[in-house]
Amino acid sequence: MPAPRLSEMAPGVPIIPVIVVDDVADALPLADALAEGGLTCLELTLRTPAGLPAAQAILAERPHITVGIGTVLSVDDLNRCVDAGVAFTVSPGLTDPLREAVARSPIPHLGGCQTISDAMACREAGLLDIKLFPAALAGGVPLARAIGSVMPDLRICPTGGITADTAAQTLAEPNIFAVGGTWITPKTAIAARDWPAITRLARAATESLT
Ligand code: 3PG
């Protein structure tokens, strides 16, 4: 049975903070700060060793938050995430082995696409939700529109270069179901444990959609 689609899970406000943490102890205050600003769907990344344990800490303590893992680069990464019980996985691109594995994964996966051919390969594998990455470099909204014109069944989450100023206009596209990015959780704010600043950024993002 195919995994459910993230685009059909309605995990709240369609803005997904992409998070890099160095310290697992930051996981809960960070997740709480984002939730207070209205964002309850998060992507922790495997860019640091703390990423997966941080996701597990949030999963265990904050069941109302949808926690995914990004920067999945290999089948082994994918298996570790599925075993950890995360809600979804994300990869910046797709290799042939990873595409085959995510097509069989029990949880939703957003596979990174940069071109029409990447999107076709995902569609062929039954992966109808894709991540457009790095969106600003790959072609942004015009590329999302081009994908929509030939593959209207795909739903897209652009990340990479999305900002507070472009999130709302990007989400106005009918085939874009969410946007992601690091602008809500800047490295400097996490390092300073400035949780109120993160709540302010999350709230600004949430309110930009209304
Ligand atoms: C991602 O993995 O989606 C990106 O690193 C986010 O890119 P950004 O830093 O430009 O938001």
Side-chain angles (χ1 to χ4, degrees), residues 146-189:
I147 292 170
S149 70
V150 289
M151 289 171 276
D153 49 349
L154 296 188
R155 289 291 168 274
I156 302 173
C157 175
T159 81
I162 306 291
T163 66
D165 293 331
T166 58
Q169 78 202 53
T170 304
L171 279 163
E173 295 298 313
N175 62 340
I176 291 181
F177 74 94
V179 294
T182 57
W183 85 92
I184 304 155
T185 53
K187 220 178 157 100
T188 45

Tab-separated table of all heavy atoms in Angstrom, residues 146-189:
chain	number	residue	atom	x	y	z
A	146	ALA	N	5.577	25.238	-14.682
A	146	ALA	CA	5.869	24.375	-15.844
A	146	ALA	C	5.621	22.914	-15.483
A	146	ALA	O	5.055	22.150	-16.278
A	146	ALA	CB	7.315	24.582	-16.292
A	147	ILE	N	6.012	22.527	-14.265
A	147	ILE	CA	5.750	21.147	-13.826
A	147	ILE	C	4.244	20.917	-13.785
A	147	ILE	O	3.732	19.897	-14.246
A	147	ILE	CB	6.397	20.879	-12.447
A	147	ILE	CG1	7.929	20.890	-12.561
A	147	ILE	CG2	5.915	19.540	-11.860
A	147	ILE	CD1	8.669	20.863	-11.225
A	148	GLY	N	3.518	21.913	-13.268
A	148	GLY	CA	2.056	21.788	-13.166
A	148	GLY	C	1.386	21.671	-14.529
A	148	GLY	O	0.374	20.995	-14.672
A	149	SER	N	1.976	22.324	-15.529
A	149	SER	CA	1.314	22.302	-16.838
A	149	SER	C	1.411	20.924	-17.495
A	149	SER	O	0.545	20.548	-18.271
A	149	SER	CB	1.895	23.388	-17.750
A	149	SER	OG	3.220	23.043	-18.121
A	150	VAL	N	2.456	20.173	-17.164
A	150	VAL	CA	2.592	18.843	-17.796
A	150	VAL	C	2.311	17.684	-16.831
A	150	VAL	O	2.016	16.581	-17.274
A	150	VAL	CB	3.990	18.673	-18.438
A	150	VAL	CG1	4.106	19.538	-19.679
A	150	VAL	CG2	5.114	18.988	-17.465
A	151	MET	N	2.427	17.946	-15.509
A	151	MET	CA	2.154	16.888	-14.516
A	151	MET	C	1.261	17.470	-13.415
A	151	MET	O	1.706	17.707	-12.291
A	151	MET	CB	3.473	16.355	-13.931
A	151	MET	CG	4.260	15.521	-14.937
A	151	MET	SD	5.921	15.083	-14.371
A	151	MET	CE	6.831	16.556	-14.836
A	152	PRO	N	-0.007	17.723	-13.763
A	152	PRO	CA	-0.885	18.404	-12.798
A	152	PRO	C	-1.182	17.581	-11.549
A	152	PRO	O	-1.730	18.121	-10.572
A	152	PRO	CB	-2.162	18.682	-13.608
A	152	PRO	CG	-2.112	17.752	-14.767
A	152	PRO	CD	-0.674	17.450	-15.043
A	153	ASP	N	-0.831	16.294	-11.556
A	153	ASP	CA	-1.082	15.468	-10.368
A	153	ASP	C	0.021	15.611	-9.308
A	153	ASP	O	-0.130	15.125	-8.193
A	153	ASP	CB	-1.262	13.988	-10.747
A	153	ASP	CG	-0.168	13.463	-11.678
A	153	ASP	OD1	0.621	14.279	-12.215
A	153	ASP	OD2	-0.103	12.238	-11.852
A	154	LEU	N	1.117	16.279	-9.629
A	154	LEU	CA	2.186	16.455	-8.631
A	154	LEU	C	1.883	17.642	-7.725
A	154	LEU	O	1.342	18.647	-8.168
A	154	LEU	CB	3.540	16.679	-9.328
A	154	LEU	CG	4.100	15.542	-10.170
A	154	LEU	CD1	5.522	15.877	-10.617
A	154	LEU	CD2	4.094	14.235	-9.408
A	155	ARG	N	2.249	17.502	-6.462
A	155	ARG	CA	2.148	18.622	-5.514
A	155	ARG	C	3.566	18.932	-5.043
A	155	ARG	O	4.345	18.018	-4.736
A	155	ARG	CB	1.254	18.260	-4.323
A	155	ARG	CG	-0.215	18.159	-4.692
A	155	ARG	CD	-0.808	19.537	-5.029
A	155	ARG	NE	-2.126	19.486	-5.654
A	155	ARG	CZ	-2.356	19.338	-6.965
A	155	ARG	NH1	-1.350	19.218	-7.816
A	155	ARG	NH2	-3.580	19.316	-7.443
A	156	ILE	N	3.858	20.225	-4.924
A	156	ILE	CA	5.244	20.663	-4.782
A	156	ILE	C	5.464	21.428	-3.478
A	156	ILE	O	4.628	22.239	-3.076
A	156	ILE	CB	5.614	21.570	-5.976
A	156	ILE	CG1	5.406	20.812	-7.291
A	156	ILE	CG2	7.042	22.084	-5.867
A	156	ILE	CD1	5.572	21.660	-8.545
A	157	CYS	N	6.611	21.160	-2.852
A	157	CYS	CA	7.061	21.945	-1.695
A	157	CYS	C	8.419	22.560	-2.060
A	157	CYS	O	9.425	21.863	-2.008
A	157	CYS	CB	7.184	21.048	-0.462
A	157	CYS	SG	7.864	21.924	0.973
A	158	PRO	N	8.428	23.841	-2.441
A	158	PRO	CA	9.718	24.472	-2.753
A	158	PRO	C	10.472	24.827	-1.467
A	158	PRO	O	9.867	25.307	-0.503
A	158	PRO	CB	9.326	25.756	-3.501
A	158	PRO	CG	7.859	25.656	-3.760
A	158	PRO	CD	7.309	24.743	-2.713
A	159	THR	N	11.746	24.592	-1.456
A	159	THR	CA	12.611	25.053	-0.361
A	159	THR	C	13.949	25.455	-0.982
A	159	THR	O	14.300	24.999	-2.061
A	159	THR	CB	12.869	23.989	0.727
A	159	THR	OG1	13.904	23.121	0.275
A	159	THR	CG2	11.652	23.170	1.072
A	160	GLY	N	14.676	26.288	-0.234
A	160	GLY	CA	15.958	26.750	-0.751
A	160	GLY	C	15.773	28.121	-1.377
A	160	GLY	O	15.354	28.232	-2.526
A	161	GLY	N	16.019	29.151	-0.539
A	161	GLY	CA	15.879	30.515	-1.041
A	161	GLY	C	14.507	31.128	-0.792
A	161	GLY	O	14.261	32.258	-1.187
A	162	ILE	N	13.607	30.386	-0.138
A	162	ILE	CA	12.309	30.968	0.232
A	162	ILE	C	12.550	31.896	1.430
A	162	ILE	O	13.336	31.564	2.334
A	162	ILE	CB	11.294	29.865	0.624
A	162	ILE	CG1	11.154	28.802	-0.477
A	162	ILE	CG2	9.939	30.482	0.989
A	162	ILE	CD1	10.484	29.235	-1.740
A	163	THR	N	11.895	33.021	1.447
A	163	THR	CA	12.068	33.979	2.544
A	163	THR	C	10.711	34.429	3.064
A	163	THR	O	9.671	34.109	2.479
A	163	THR	CB	12.814	35.240	2.060
A	163	THR	OG1	11.963	35.913	1.105
A	163	THR	CG2	14.145	34.900	1.401
A	164	ALA	N	10.775	35.226	4.137
A	164	ALA	CA	9.544	35.791	4.701
A	164	ALA	C	8.792	36.573	3.628
A	164	ALA	O	7.557	36.613	3.630
A	164	ALA	CB	9.902	36.704	5.873
A	165	ASP	N	9.522	37.171	2.708
A	165	ASP	CA	8.882	38.006	1.684
A	165	ASP	C	8.276	37.198	0.540
A	165	ASP	O	7.425	37.699	-0.186
A	165	ASP	CB	9.903	38.986	1.085
A	165	ASP	CG	10.353	39.997	2.114
A	165	ASP	OD1	9.557	40.301	3.024
A	165	ASP	OD2	11.505	40.462	2.023
A	166	THR	N	8.755	35.957	0.352
A	166	THR	CA	8.277	35.210	-0.830
A	166	THR	C	7.371	34.018	-0.478
A	166	THR	O	6.769	33.433	-1.378
A	166	THR	CB	9.463	34.679	-1.673
A	166	THR	OG1	10.284	33.834	-0.850
A	166	THR	CG2	10.307	35.808	-2.213
A	167	ALA	N	7.270	33.680	0.816
A	167	ALA	CA	6.506	32.473	1.192
A	167	ALA	C	5.050	32.561	0.727
A	167	ALA	O	4.543	31.646	0.069
A	167	ALA	CB	6.583	32.262	2.698
A	168	ALA	N	4.392	33.673	1.050
A	168	ALA	CA	2.951	33.758	0.756
A	168	ALA	C	2.687	33.726	-0.750
A	168	ALA	O	1.801	32.999	-1.216
A	168	ALA	CB	2.363	35.027	1.371
A	169	GLN	N	3.481	34.480	-1.528
A	169	GLN	CA	3.220	34.504	-2.977
A	169	GLN	C	3.529	33.144	-3.602
A	169	GLN	O	2.862	32.716	-4.544
A	169	GLN	CB	3.972	35.641	-3.671
A	169	GLN	CG	5.440	35.384	-3.901
A	169	GLN	CD	6.246	36.668	-4.087
A	169	GLN	OE1	6.201	37.591	-3.278
A	169	GLN	NE2	7.006	36.713	-5.165
A	170	THR	N	4.509	32.432	-3.036
A	170	THR	CA	4.835	31.095	-3.549
A	170	THR	C	3.666	30.141	-3.268
A	170	THR	O	3.270	29.342	-4.124
A	170	THR	CB	6.127	30.582	-2.883
A	170	THR	OG1	7.165	31.541	-3.112
A	170	THR	CG2	6.560	29.243	-3.441
A	171	LEU	N	3.104	30.254	-2.066
A	171	LEU	CA	2.005	29.362	-1.677
A	171	LEU	C	0.711	29.659	-2.433
A	171	LEU	O	-0.231	28.862	-2.379
A	171	LEU	CB	1.760	29.474	-0.169
A	171	LEU	CG	2.728	28.644	0.675
A	171	LEU	CD1	2.712	29.111	2.123
A	171	LEU	CD2	2.375	27.161	0.585
A	172	ALA	N	0.660	30.776	-3.132
A	172	ALA	CA	-0.555	31.098	-3.896
A	172	ALA	C	-0.681	30.212	-5.138
A	172	ALA	O	-1.750	30.131	-5.743
A	172	ALA	CB	-0.540	32.569	-4.295
A	173	GLU	N	0.398	29.542	-5.523
A	173	GLU	CA	0.343	28.644	-6.694
A	173	GLU	C	-0.493	27.407	-6.360
A	173	GLU	O	-0.284	26.786	-5.312
A	173	GLU	CB	1.756	28.189	-7.092
A	173	GLU	CG	2.635	29.297	-7.580
A	173	GLU	CD	2.087	29.963	-8.835
A	173	GLU	OE1	1.695	29.249	-9.778
A	173	GLU	OE2	2.048	31.210	-8.862
A	174	PRO	N	-1.413	27.017	-7.247
A	174	PRO	CA	-2.315	25.904	-6.910
A	174	PRO	C	-1.626	24.565	-6.711
A	174	PRO	O	-2.141	23.718	-5.977
A	174	PRO	CB	-3.288	25.852	-8.098
A	174	PRO	CG	-2.677	26.688	-9.166
A	174	PRO	CD	-1.747	27.660	-8.526
A	175	ASN	N	-0.458	24.337	-7.345
A	175	ASN	CA	0.198	23.026	-7.170
A	175	ASN	C	1.301	23.057	-6.108
A	175	ASN	O	2.045	22.099	-5.968
A	175	ASN	CB	0.741	22.500	-8.510
A	175	ASN	CG	1.805	23.411	-9.119
A	175	ASN	OD1	1.893	24.584	-8.777
A	175	ASN	ND2	2.600	22.861	-10.015
A	176	ILE	N	1.387	24.166	-5.356
A	176	ILE	CA	2.359	24.241	-4.257
A	176	ILE	C	1.597	24.076	-2.949
A	176	ILE	O	0.729	24.882	-2.619
A	176	ILE	CB	3.130	25.581	-4.314
A	176	ILE	CG1	4.041	25.556	-5.548
A	176	ILE	CG2	3.937	25.802	-3.029
A	176	ILE	CD1	4.888	26.793	-5.752
A	177	PHE	N	1.902	22.987	-2.222
A	177	PHE	CA	1.122	22.691	-1.011
A	177	PHE	C	1.797	23.173	0.255
A	177	PHE	O	1.157	23.241	1.314
A	177	PHE	CB	0.798	21.192	-0.904
A	177	PHE	CG	1.965	20.319	-0.506
A	177	PHE	CD1	2.177	19.979	0.823
A	177	PHE	CD2	2.833	19.826	-1.467
A	177	PHE	CE1	3.245	19.177	1.196
A	177	PHE	CE2	3.908	19.023	-1.109
A	177	PHE	CZ	4.121	18.701	0.228
A	178	ALA	N	3.094	23.473	0.190
A	178	ALA	CA	3.824	23.949	1.368
A	178	ALA	C	5.121	24.578	0.885
A	178	ALA	O	5.540	24.350	-0.258
A	178	ALA	CB	4.126	22.784	2.319
A	179	VAL	N	5.725	25.378	1.750
A	179	VAL	CA	7.090	25.858	1.482
A	179	VAL	C	7.919	25.543	2.725
A	179	VAL	O	7.384	25.427	3.835
A	179	VAL	CB	7.158	27.375	1.183
A	179	VAL	CG1	6.441	27.708	-0.111
A	179	VAL	CG2	6.613	28.202	2.351
A	180	GLY	N	9.217	25.412	2.522
A	180	GLY	CA	10.098	25.154	3.661
A	180	GLY	C	11.301	26.062	3.611
A	180	GLY	O	11.592	26.671	2.573
A	181	GLY	N	11.985	26.154	4.749
A	181	GLY	CA	13.207	26.957	4.736
A	181	GLY	C	13.758	27.190	6.116
A	181	GLY	O	13.121	26.856	7.135
A	182	THR	N	14.952	27.753	6.119
A	182	THR	CA	15.656	27.968	7.380
A	182	THR	C	15.459	29.390	7.923
A	182	THR	O	15.979	29.694	8.981
A	182	THR	CB	17.168	27.734	7.196
A	182	THR	OG1	17.651	28.611	6.168
A	182	THR	CG2	17.480	26.301	6.805
A	183	TRP	N	14.724	30.235	7.196
A	183	TRP	CA	14.660	31.628	7.638
A	183	TRP	C	13.945	31.785	8.995
A	183	TRP	O	14.157	32.769	9.693
A	183	TRP	CB	13.993	32.506	6.556
A	183	TRP	CG	12.492	32.549	6.581
A	183	TRP	CD1	11.715	33.469	7.246
A	183	TRP	CD2	11.562	31.664	5.919
A	183	TRP	NE1	10.378	33.197	7.033
A	183	TRP	CE2	10.260	32.103	6.229
A	183	TRP	CE3	11.718	30.552	5.096
A	183	TRP	CZ2	9.115	31.462	5.747
A	183	TRP	CZ3	10.581	29.924	4.625
A	183	TRP	CH2	9.317	30.358	4.941
A	184	ILE	N	13.164	30.812	9.382
A	184	ILE	CA	12.422	30.931	10.654
A	184	ILE	C	13.285	30.480	11.843
A	184	ILE	O	12.998	30.846	12.986
A	184	ILE	CB	11.139	30.072	10.584
A	184	ILE	CG1	10.318	30.492	9.368
A	184	ILE	CG2	10.281	30.206	11.849
A	184	ILE	CD1	9.420	29.402	8.850
A	185	THR	N	14.295	29.674	11.572
A	185	THR	CA	15.144	29.162	12.654
A	185	THR	C	16.609	29.473	12.366
A	185	THR	O	17.418	28.559	12.151
A	185	THR	CB	14.945	27.637	12.818
A	185	THR	OG1	15.133	27.003	11.537
A	185	THR	CG2	13.571	27.296	13.342
A	186	PRO	N	16.978	30.765	12.356
A	186	PRO	CA	18.364	31.103	12.008
A	186	PRO	C	19.358	30.498	13.000
A	186	PRO	O	19.067	30.422	14.204
A	186	PRO	CB	18.398	32.628	12.073
A	186	PRO	CG	17.024	33.089	12.375
A	186	PRO	CD	16.159	31.916	12.703
A	187	LYS	N	20.483	30.092	12.466
A	187	LYS	CA	21.559	29.497	13.264
A	187	LYS	C	21.907	30.373	14.481
A	187	LYS	O	22.093	29.874	15.588
A	187	LYS	CB	22.798	29.413	12.357
A	187	LYS	CG	23.596	28.173	12.490
A	187	LYS	CD	24.757	28.224	11.490
A	187	LYS	CE	25.837	27.317	11.971
A	187	LYS	NZ	26.054	26.083	11.511
A	188	THR	N	21.955	31.688	14.240
A	188	THR	CA	22.358	32.608	15.317
A	188	THR	C	21.337	32.570	16.457
A	188	THR	O	21.714	32.588	17.633
A	188	THR	CB	22.476	34.048	14.792
A	188	THR	OG1	21.327	34.324	13.981
A	188	THR	CG2	23.732	34.239	13.977
A	189	ALA	N	20.057	32.521	16.122
A	189	ALA	CA	19.022	32.506	17.168
A	189	ALA	C	19.066	31.193	17.947
A	189	ALA	O	18.900	31.185	19.183
A	189	ALA	CB	17.644	32.712	16.545
